[in-house]
Amino acid sequence: MADWFADNGLLLGLALLDGLAYAALVFMVAVGLNLVFGVLRILNVAHGSFFAIGGYTAASIGAFVMARGLPEWLALPVLVLAAVVVGGIAGPLIERFILRRIYAEEPVLQLLVTFALFMILEDVQKLIWGVQPVHHDAAMRLLGTVDVPFGHDSIPFTAYQLYVLPGVALFTLVGLAWFLRRTLTGRVIVAVTTDREAATAMGIDAKKVFLLTFTFGAALAALGGALSSPTAALVPGVGAGTMVLSFAVVATAGLGQIEGAAIAALMIGLGRSIAVYFLPEAEVLVPYIIMVGVLLVRPNGLFGVVETRRI
Amino acid sequence: MIAKHEAVLAALLVAAVLAAAAVSPWLIFILTIATAKGIAVLGILLLLRAGQVSFGHALFVAFSAYTVAFLAPVLNDVALLLPLGALAAMALGLVVGAFVVRYREIFFGMLNLALSMVFYSLLEKLYTITHGTDGIRVSLPRFFGMALERHAYEWAVLVTALVLAVACAVFARIYLASPMGQGLSAIKTREARLEFMGVSARLVLLSAYVISALMAGMAGAIIAMTSRHVTPHLGYWTASGELVFIAILGGAGGVIGPFLGAIAFELVRVYAAASFADAWQLILGTTLLLVIMFARGGLWGLVLKLTGRRA
Amino acid sequence: MHNTLSRRDALLATGFGGMLMPASLSHAQPANKPAEIKVGIVTILSGPASVFGVPGRQAAEMLFDEINRAGGIGGVPVRPIFVDEGPGVEHTLGEIRRLVQNERVDILFSSISSGSCLACTPVAEELKKTVLLWDCGTQRIFEDRRYEYAFRTQANGTPEVLAPLLYTLKRKPNLRTLAVINQDYAWGRDSWELWKTGMDALKPGVRVVAELFPRFNSTDFSTEITRLLALRPEVIFTTSWGGELDTFIKQASERRLFERSTLVMPLAESSLERVGNALPPGHFIGARGDHWHLHPNPADPAKLRAFTENYRRRFNAWPIYCTHHMYQAVSAMQAAYAKAIPAAGGAWPSDAQLAAAFRGLEYDTLTSRMKIREDGQGLEAQLIGTTVRSPDYPFPIMNDMVVYPPELLYPPVGQKSVDWLKTLTPDYLNRVPG
C-alpha cells in the first residue's frame, strides 16, 4: 500500500484537481434539480434543457460582447447574466402556464409533463442555435493557466478550471445554505420542503414559493451550463447527458438535500477522475455504482429523511 | 359489460392493424414495432397501478433483444428465440426486482433508470462482445421450422405479435382483477394497510415487476426479430421514457390503451419525421403536453367518451 | 378469440397478398420514363452528429437545385426526400421501408453512422433498391458480405486511417511513444484497431503509453488531458469529431498539450472553421478523402471554386468533407443514369439495371475522378496535411499536403482490412510518397 502511494500519489493528486472541477459543474446542475424537487416534489426532466440553454445563451451573449469590442473581463459576468436571463424568462413561463396546472396530478403525470418539455426544448435549441457546435471560451482564456508541479515536471491547468469552477460552486453552496437558513424567504422554502401541508395551513403562499423555487432552480441549471460553456462545446443532445448524471447525484444525495448534493457530486466527480487514471474502463459506470451502493446502505440517499408512512 | 365492450374494441383494433398492414406494406414494420411496444407498455401499466413509474424498463427490452441477437446464430427459429428472450428478461426482472421493490416512487424510478443506464453503458463499452453502437445484425430466422421469404416472414411476426398482444391483454385484465392485482392498487393508496392484512407489499410489487419484465422481454424479442438489428440505443433512458410516454398517451385506464398509444405514437413520429424532419421531437412533446393537459384519460379515455361509456 | 383472429388474418393475408405481388415483381422490368426521380436521403438531423448531417443535406439541396436548373437527369427532374437517422436504427429502418414502399424512391443515399449503415444496407438489398453509402465509414460492410444493390461512393475507415499513419511515420521515422484518445463507440474503437495494427506492422516497437476512450458525447476532457500532459507521448492519435473534437482541441490548446506532443487528427478538417487558431501549426490533419476547398491540385479548379463559393454564399459556411461526400454520391448517381439509360435501350432503366450500372462506374468528384470497384467500394485517394497559420483565413489551413493514391490504401477485394494491414512491412513504407 505504501509503495503504491509512493508510485501513484502524485497521479492521485492530479486526479483530485480534475475531479474537483468536474464535481463543481455536476453540483451546479444537481443542486438546482434537488431544490426544485424538495419544494415542488416534481423531478424536472427538463432541467438538463435549462443547462443547455444557459450554455448557449452565455455563448451568444459572449460572442455579442466580443463583437462589440467591449472589455474582455466582461466574459465572466456574462456567464451569470446568461443564467439570470434564462432562469428569469423560462422559469416563470413554465411554472405559471404549465406546472401550476398539474400540481394536483399524480407524480407520473408531472414527470411526463417535464419529459414533454424536455423533448420540446431539445428542438427549440436546434431551431435557435442550429446544430453546429457552439463555443465561446473567452472566460477560460482570460484567466490563463497555472503550472502545477508534478515531480520534476509541471502540468499546466487552466485557472478557470482550478479556481473559478470550484469557487463558484462553493459560493453557491454556502450562499444557498445561508439563504435557506437565515432569510425569511429561505425558511419559508425549507418549511414547504419539510411539510407542505403544515406550511400552507400556517398561511404560507405555496404558489409564490413554487414560482420562486422553480425560477431559482432553472437559473442554477442555466448557470451550470453557462459555466461549462467556456470549456466545452455545446452540441444538440448535451441536455440529455447532463440530465442522467444529475438524477444520479440527486438520488445519491437524498431528495431536497443541498449539502448532500455537494457531497454526492464530490464523490462522483472524484470517483470519475480517479477511474480515468487507474481503471478507465469503469469511468462511465462510476456515478451509477456510487448511487446503487449508497442506496443499498441508505435507501433514502445519503441525507434523505424517512418519510412517515400514511396509514 | 365492460369486458365485452373491450373485447369488441380489441377485435376492431386487431382488424384495423391487419387491414392497414395489408393495404400499405411499409406499415407492417411500424405496426409490428408498435404492437411490441404496446406489450411492454402493458407491463408499465401494471406498475402504474401501484403508483410506481419505472424509468428504466428499456433495460428489459434491450436485454431480451440482445439475448435474441446472441442466440440467433445457434437457435435460428422464432419459436425458440422469442420465448428465450422473454424468459431471459423475466429472470433479470426477478433479480433486479428483488432489489428495487424495496424502494418507492422517485427512488424506484431512479434506481430503474440507473440500472438500465449501467446495462446501456456496458453494451457500448464491451465493444469486442457487443460491437458497441454498431450493434448486432440478426439474420432472417425460421418461423416454427419454416424458412419464409422476407415478406411472408414479416407478416408472420406481425401476427405473432398481435396474438401475444391479445394474450397479454387478457392476462393483464385477469391479473388486475385478482387479489394480487388489487394489492397493487392498495400499494398506491395505503400500503401500510396491506401489510396489516398480512400481505407482503414487496411480494405483490415483485410479482407485477417480474410480469412487466417478461412483457418488456417479449417486446424486445419481437423488436429484435423485426428490425433484425439491435443497438444499445434500445436501452437508453429516453427509450424508457418513451414507454411511459405511450402509457399516458394511450391512457392508463384499460388494457387496450397501451396499444392505442403505441400505434398513435409510432404513426405520429413517422409522419412528424416525414413532414418536419427537424422538429419531430417538438411535435411529439407538444402532443404529450396536450394529452396531459386536456385529455387526462389518454386515447382510451377519448374512446370511452366517444362510445359513451365509463371505465 | 385467437382462432377468429388468425382466420381473419389468413383471409386478409391471402386477399391482399395477391394484390401486392405485382409490385414486388416490377424490380426486373424496365419501366416508362417517370415524372420525377425520387432520391431518399438518410442523414443525421438530430443529436451531436447533425454537425455532418445538416451540411450534407444542405449540399444535396444545392446540388439537386443545380441539376434541375440544368434540365434534370435524362430530362427527368430529381427530388430529394430527407429522413433523420438521429432517433436510432429502429426508427431509420422504418423510414427506409417508408421511402421504398410508400414514397417509392428510385434510389437511396444511406447514412452517416456506421450502425445505421450496417442495419439499412441489408434491408435495401432485400427490397432490391439501389443504395449509395454516401458517408458512413465502416470498412466491415463490404468485407463481411456481398451486395448487389449497395455501393459506397467514398473511401472507408481503412484508407482514412492508413493515410494519416503513413504521413506520420514518414515525418516521425524514430517514433517511440504514442497515445490514443478516441470516442468510446464503434468508430473510435475500429479506427484505433486499424491504426494499431498498421503501426505494429510498419513500425514495430512503438510503445502505446495510454489508450483513453472517454464516454461518447463527453464534454470535459481535462482529466484525460492531464494524463497526456504527464505522460508526454511524442504523438497523440485521435479520430474524434464534431463538438467533442472542438472541446478537446480548445481544452488541450489552452493547457499547451500541443507544445508537448504532435497530434494526428484524421477528421479535424471539419472542425477547422470552428476552432480557429486555437489549433496551433505543425499538427497532422485529414479530411476523410481527397477533397478540401484549398485542394493543392484539383482536376478542375474552376468547378471546385464554384462549388465552394456557391455553398458559402447560400449557407454562410465553408464546405466540409461531408458536403464533398454528398457531391460524390450525386455525381455517381448522375453518371450511373447516364450509363444505364442508353443501356436500357429506350426504356427507363429498372432497379436492377440501375444497380448494375454502378459496378465499375467512373465518376467525377470535385477534385478528381473515382471508380467503384467490383465489391461496390469506391476507390478514393486521401489528402493529409500539416496545420499552418494563414493571414488570409481566420483558421489554420494545411500545407505540406500529400495525396495518397488508392492503390496504396485498400486491401484487395475479399480480404479483411485488419488481416491485410498485418501483412504490410516496413519496406512498404519506402514505396509510399511524402
Side-chain angles (χ1 to χ4, degrees), chain A residues 43 98 101 105-106 108-109 111-112 116 123 126 240 244 247 255 281 288 291 295-296 299-300 310-311, chain B residues 53 55 99 103 106-107 110 113 117-118 125 188-190 237 244 248 278-282 285 296:
Chain A
L43 191 72
I98 296 172
R101 293 157 170 265
E105 295 297 328
E106 288 180 37
V108 54
L109 287 181
L111 194 70
L112 272 179
D123 275 352
K126 265 197 315 190
V244 222
F247 281 160
L255 300 170
E281 294 299 312
Y288 310 116
M291 170 183 160
L295 288 186
L296 264 177
N300 289 296
R310 292 175 303 172
I311 295 176
Chain B
V53 195
F55 242 69
F99 169 52
Y103 302 84
I106 227 72
F107 285 103
M110 285 300 100
L113 176 92
M117 286 304 289
V118 167
K125 201 85 202 172
K188 184 172 175 180
T189 43
R190 288 286 188 271
W237 72 272
V244 185
I248 299 304
D278 285 325
W280 58 271
Q281 288 202 85
L282 191 112
R296 297 279 155 79

Side-chain angles (χ1 to χ4, degrees), chain B:
Chain B
M1 266 311 283
I2 290 171
K4 197 177 165 194
H5 191 69
E6 269 188 334
V8 173
L9 280 172
L12 281 174
L13 188 62
V14 170
V17 165
L18 290 171
V23 174
S24 345
W26 68 278
L27 281 177
I28 296 176
F29 179 82
I30 286 160
L31 290 171
T32 313
I33 299 278
T35 311
K37 283 188 182 166
I39 297 176
V41 172
L42 203 57
I44 301 276
L45 206 69
L46 296 183
L47 298 174
L48 277 180
R49 194 53 74 94
Q52 308 304 319
V53 195
S54 164
F55 242 69
H57 257 50
L59 164 66
F60 303 109
V61 175
F63 190 74
S64 164
Y66 269 86
T67 306
V68 167
F70 279 117
L71 290 180
V74 260
L75 305 167
N76 206 14
D77 195 312
V78 171
L80 293 170
L81 292 174
L82 180 58
L84 284 174
L87 288 175
M90 187 171 148
L92 182 67
L94 191 64
V95 177
V96 173
F99 169 52
V100 297
V101 294
R102 297 163 53 207
Y103 302 84
R104 291 293 174 274
E105 293 180 358
I106 227 72
F107 285 103
F108 179 83
M110 285 300 100
L111 274 172
N112 276 296
L113 176 92
L115 292 170
S116 76
M117 286 304 289
V118 167
F119 183 63
Y120 170 82
S121 306
L122 288 175
L123 287 179
E124 281 202 331
K125 201 85 202 172
L126 302 176
Y127 183 67
T128 44
I129 305 170
T130 63
H131 292 294
T133 45
D134 270 1
I136 303 174
R137 185 163 167 71
V138 181
S139 58
L140 193 71
R142 298 165 79 84
F143 190 80
F144 290 88
M146 293 178 285
L148 302 177
E149 59 86 35
R150 182 187 57 81
H151 190 65
Y153 169 83
E154 287 178 356
W155 267 105
V157 176
L158 173 62
V159 172
T160 310
L162 285 171
V163 169
L164 278 177
V166 172
C168 287
V170 170
F171 174 80
R173 232 181 167 288
I174 297 171
Y175 183 82
L176 285 175
S178 74
M180 286 299 256
Q182 298 292 319
L184 288 174
S185 310
I187 291 180
K188 184 172 175 180
T189 43
R190 288 286 188 271
E191 184 172 339
R193 290 185 187 170
L194 204 61
E195 303 272 353
F196 292 158
M197 282 161 56
V199 180
S200 161
R202 281 188 192 170
L203 210 61
V204 171
L205 191 56
L206 180 62
S207 78
Y209 194 87
V210 172
I211 294 170
S212 72
L214 174 70
M215 288 178 174
M218 289 182 198
I222 295 169
I223 289 173
M225 293 186 304
T226 305
S227 62
R228 292 198 281 120
H229 193 98
V230 298
T231 60
H233 194 81
L234 284 171
Y236 195 55
W237 72 272
T238 48
S240 298
E242 215 173 87
L243 296 178
V244 185
F245 181 137
I246 293 172
I248 299 304
L249 180 67
V255 295
I256 297 180
F259 300 98
L260 281 177
I263 292 169
F265 178 86
E266 291 294 318
L267 289 181
V268 168
R269 179 159 85 172
V270 166
Y271 282 104
S275 331
F276 312 94
D278 285 325
W280 58 271
Q281 288 202 85
L282 191 112
I283 293 168
L284 273 182
T286 312
T287 311
L288 180 62
L289 210 53
L290 292 175
V291 166
I292 297 176
M293 299 286 219
F294 302 108
R296 297 279 155 79
L299 295 172
W300 177 240
L302 286 180
V303 170
L304 288 178
K305 222 183 254 172
L306 288 176
T307 54
R309 284 166 202 267
R310 298 189 57 82

